[in-house]
Amino acid sequence: MVIQPIAKIYNDFPTKFGIPRQSGRITELKSRIIFEKTCRNEEAFRGLEQFSHLWLIWEFSESKNRDWSPTVRPPRLGGNKRIGVFATRSPFRPNSLGLSCVKLEAIEKNEKYGIVLTVSGADLMNGTPIYDIKPYIPYADCIEDAQGGFAEENKDYKAEVEIPEKLLKAIPENKKEALIKVLEDDPRPAYKNNIEKEYGFFFADREIKFTAKNNKIIVTDIIKRRIAE
């Protein structure tokens, strides 16, 4: 079976490093979903405004050509314990499909792109292909007594973040809170928690450089960069 993307998502993460590990964790992060020409019929969106959240079915486009393994090493287990791939959300799967729940913030009609959706809380990289969108239905999709397995471990973890005021001024006001939340979520692989080194990731048109010690993230530089589209 051949399926084609219906849309792509656009946001402030041009590379994988720094993207939240799960959807919904950082609601301050906004993204726009722009549809392919074949899916811009306004009738396809009728009734969508009645829903507050959406499921996105998308492609791990940066991982699709890599071989999959029956077991993987989840970062939140320290990277040294193997778990079956179907018990994880690893991108290295038989089919490189991801599933994310996002909040629908706005539905707008754009002169060039037709209907454009603004969503928050996405854990996708800029330009990620989306294969389908479905409404989140609370009575069916929310299971109160569901068990989260090993994913429940460290779910409330939050790093302390230190950003010198002169560096924080380099970030646009409407993106500061989102950046701080990204850093609080600690982008580092868990198995490197005790290694002191400088890390860096791109956020919007800035490169964020930081070091870490224990659970404290210290931003060392914020550099304006031109990101290739």
Side-chain angles (χ1 to χ4, degrees), residues 7-111:
K8 287 185 178 179
I9 197 166
Y10 296 92
N11 56 32
D12 289 325
F13 289 101
T15 58
K16 291 187 293 183
F17 189 63
I19 296 174
R21 291 183 175 88
Q22 302 290 346
S23 61
R25 284 186 63 84
I26 305 179
T27 56
E28 292 79 8
L29 292 173
K30 301 296 191 295
S31 303
R32 298 175 77 222
I33 297 175
I34 296 178
F35 290 82
E36 300 294 336
K37 291 181 179 179
T38 55
C39 296
R40 292 179 184 173
N41 188 321
E42 291 184 34
E43 291 297 300
F45 303 90
R46 183 190 295 180
L48 190 63
E49 73 283 351
Q50 300 177 41
F51 297 92
S52 65
H53 291 73
L54 305 173
W55 288 109
L56 306 181
I57 300 172
W58 50 278
E59 179 183 31
F60 287 104
S61 52
E62 294 296 297
S63 307
K64 64 180 180 180
N65 293 322
R66 294 185 57 173
D67 292 335
W68 74 281
S69 170
T71 60
V72 296
R73 301 175 187 267
R76 282 308 181 195
L77 289 181
N80 52 17
K81 182 177 180 180
R82 285 197 170 274
I83 298 290
V85 67
F86 298 130
T88 75
R89 297 188 179 187
S90 167
F92 309 117
R93 323 183 66 79
N95 293 307
S96 301
L97 295 178
L99 177 68
S100 296
C101 184
V102 298
K103 183 178 180 181
L104 178 59
E105 298 284 354
I107 304 173
E108 300 173 306
K109 185 175 181 180
N110 181 280
E111 185 176 338

Side-chain angles (χ1 to χ4, degrees), residues 58 118 140 144 161 206:
W58 50 278
T118 299
E144 293 183 0
V161 175
R206 267 69 171 178

